[in-house]
Amino acid sequence: MKLLGSLVLSLLLTGIILLGCDSKTNTKNYFAETGIQLPSSSNDAVNQIMAGFPELYNELSAAVEKGDKDARPELTTAYADWLVQVIETKENLPDDEKGKFTTELEIINAKWRQQIDKLL
């Protein structure tokens, strides 16, 4: 039940982010330029949550490109919510997947920090 609640929250957050953005911010796929490989898991719930990251990253990068420092708090909150879901569902991974997943998540986090710091 907790997992279902997390998935619903993830979908709501993604919808809010998508609805709150104008079409100009979604024209460029910044995420594709990063070279980040999203971790793949045997757990479909984890994969669904991970699939939300590119849109978050694109919104962040669009804000950076526009110099929209006012977007920082909202983007930080959205990322934190996404990360909490990832960490919660990561516990459902088989032990042999957790280490690799954690390493890849650290790379994702470093890329996010690199971008969000540009909005300081």
Side-chain angles (χ1 to χ4, degrees), residues 24-41:
K24 291 181 182 178
T25 61
N26 291 325
T27 58
K28 186 172 182 181
N29 187 352
Y30 300 93
F31 177 77
E33 297 173 1
T34 66
I36 295 173
Q37 295 293 321
L38 291 178
S40 179
S41 167

Side-chain angles (χ1 to χ4, degrees), residues 43-108:
N43 185 309
D44 289 338
V46 171
N47 291 335
Q48 284 182 326
I49 293 168
M50 292 305 298
F53 180 75
E55 185 64 34
L56 281 174
Y57 190 86
N58 286 337
E59 294 303 323
L60 170 61
S61 296
V64 167
E65 188 171 280
K66 292 191 295 187
D68 185 4
K69 294 183 179 194
D70 292 337
R72 191 176 199 279
E74 185 179 328
L75 290 165
T76 299
T77 300
Y79 179 71
D81 291 344
W82 174 83
L83 193 57
V84 166
Q85 291 177 354
V86 169
I87 291 169
E88 285 177 352
T89 57
K90 181 182 119 178
E91 296 307 315
N92 297 326
L93 293 176
D95 289 338
D96 61 328
E97 288 184 25
K98 285 182 184 177
K100 182 177 184 236
F101 189 86
T102 299
T103 300
E104 291 171 339
L105 194 54
E106 288 170 356
I107 293 168
I108 288 170

